[in-house]
Amino acid sequence: METHKVISRTKDIGSNKSLLDKGLVPGIVYGKGTEPTKIAFEDQALKKLIQSKGFYTKILNININGKTETVLPKILQFHPVTDKIIHFDLLRVKENTKVTVEVPVEFLNKDICPGLKKGGVLNVIRRNIELICNAKNIPELLQFDVAEIDIGDAIKISNIQLPEGVYPTIRDRDFVIATIVAPTIEIEETKPEEEGEEIEGEEGEGAEGAEGEVTESTKEAKGEDKKEEAGKTKEVKQKKEEDKK
């Protein structure tokens, strides 16, 4: 196991802000029955460790002033704007130290899973499982083979083989980790054809009628006008004939 060199923080080394400006991340090492020790980690070295798989489940060796200690990463604090690491906590561990850790779950053979090949979806309920175990026996990750899982099947904690001495913090029930669910089919609502055109037509007829287009009412009005004009013409002709006599 690689040993990482850290710097012991004293009053002379400066404030947390000055350490961050120098490329160092302030942190603390603590443990049951021991005095907390303030340290600083090189920013780039800490970033490299964080990017590795299973950071929170990895036991690390650190060298503080020539003394090697075994620790487990517990807490990382990030700047709310820049997302830079601004502080960390490490837990001292010994042979008999019991720890509570969250271990990620990995699903194997998804490419040949019957449920997924039929179009089903892997619905992951718990991506990490909280476990209690000896600090020296932390599994890096938990694995489950979905090669024989079909639509409607559920993967429970009892389906995963845990190492000896490793137990889930939830002990009162066989909780579900993931399920294979049927694909969701969305049905679009179909609108009656020409619906929009009908509405526009109704509105248009009202407007066009107002502007003098031929409608039933205008037809009747024009018919009355023609009758009136015909009557006037007849009266004029009769008057002319009487004048001639």
Side-chain angles (χ1 to χ4, degrees), residues 148-213:
E148 298 180 0
I149 300 299
D150 211 334
I151 291 175
D153 291 342
I155 303 162
K156 298 184 177 182
I157 187 62
S158 60
N159 300 129
I160 294 182
Q161 180 102 30
L162 296 175
E164 187 177 353
V166 178
Y167 307 97
T169 54
I170 300 173
R171 304 287 295 276
D172 60 343
R173 66 185 185 277
D174 190 15
F175 57 87
V176 176
I177 297 171
T179 58
I180 302 287
V181 297
T184 303
I185 301 174
E186 294 184 2
I187 301 175
E188 293 186 6
E189 293 184 7
T190 56
K191 294 183 179 180
E193 292 183 4
E194 309 298 332
E195 182 180 346
E197 293 180 8
E198 288 178 5
I199 294 171
E200 290 176 3
E202 290 173 2
E203 291 178 354
E205 286 174 9
E208 289 170 359
E211 292 174 3
E213 289 292 330

Side-chain angles (χ1 to χ4, degrees), residues 27-37 39 55-56 58-62 64 69-75 88-94 96-101 133-136 138:
I28 191 168
V29 181
Y30 61 92
K32 187 177 180 180
T34 62
E35 287 293 325
T37 304
I39 61 172
F55 171 72
Y56 286 103
K58 274 188 178 176
I59 298 294
L60 306 174
N61 282 340
I62 59 171
I64 309 174
E69 295 202 41
T70 305
V71 297
L72 178 69
K74 291 300 291 181
I75 299 173
F88 63 87
D89 289 12
L90 303 177
L91 174 68
R92 286 190 180 98
V93 296
K94 300 187 181 299
N96 58 350
T97 302
K98 290 281 185 182
V99 294
T100 301
V101 292
C133 59
N134 189 291
K136 299 289 187 179
I138 302 172

Side-chain angles (χ1 to χ4, degrees), residues 7-188:
I7 301 168
S8 178
R9 282 195 289 146
T10 61
K11 293 180 180 179
D12 300 331
I13 203 170
S15 64
N16 287 358
K17 187 179 182 305
S18 65
L19 287 171
L20 291 168
D21 291 339
K22 296 174 186 175
L24 298 169
V25 182
I28 191 168
V29 181
Y30 61 92
K32 187 177 180 180
T34 62
E35 287 293 325
T37 304
K38 294 181 178 180
I39 61 172
F41 218 117
E42 286 186 7
D43 180 64
Q44 293 303 316
L46 188 56
K47 279 183 181 177
K48 188 177 178 181
L49 283 173
I50 293 169
Q51 290 167 0
S52 62
K53 198 171 183 179
F55 171 72
Y56 286 103
T57 61
K58 274 188 178 176
I59 298 294
L60 306 174
N61 282 340
I62 59 171
N63 186 297
I64 309 174
N65 296 330
K67 181 184 177 182
T68 301
E69 295 202 41
T70 305
V71 297
L72 178 69
K74 291 300 291 181
I75 299 173
L76 289 175
Q77 293 180 20
F78 295 86
H79 191 281
V81 177
T82 64
D83 279 339
K84 289 183 66 175
I85 308 165
I86 57 175
H87 197 274
F88 63 87
D89 289 12
L90 303 177
L91 174 68
R92 286 190 180 98
V93 296
K94 300 187 181 299
E95 291 293 335
N96 58 350
T97 302
K98 290 281 185 182
V99 294
T100 301
V101 292
E102 286 193 347
V103 179
V105 183
E106 181 181 53
F107 299 94
L108 306 176
N109 293 319
K110 288 190 284 187
D111 56 329
I112 61 172
C113 172
L116 297 181
K117 289 180 76 174
K118 290 177 185 176
V121 178
L122 180 62
N123 177 35
V124 181
I125 298 168
R126 296 175 184 268
R127 298 188 179 277
N128 299 286
I129 308 299
E130 192 174 66
L131 303 173
I132 299 173
C133 59
N134 189 291
K136 299 289 187 179
N137 196 29
I138 302 172
E140 186 174 326
L141 53 82
L142 302 178
Q143 294 180 322
F144 182 81
D145 193 339
V146 296
E148 298 180 0
I149 300 299
D150 211 334
I151 291 175
D153 291 342
I155 303 162
K156 298 184 177 182
I157 187 62
S158 60
N159 300 129
I160 294 182
Q161 180 102 30
L162 296 175
E164 187 177 353
V166 178
Y167 307 97
T169 54
I170 300 173
R171 304 287 295 276
D172 60 343
R173 66 185 185 277
D174 190 15
F175 57 87
V176 176
I177 297 171
T179 58
I180 302 287
V181 297
T184 303
I185 301 174
E186 294 184 2
I187 301 175
E188 293 186 6

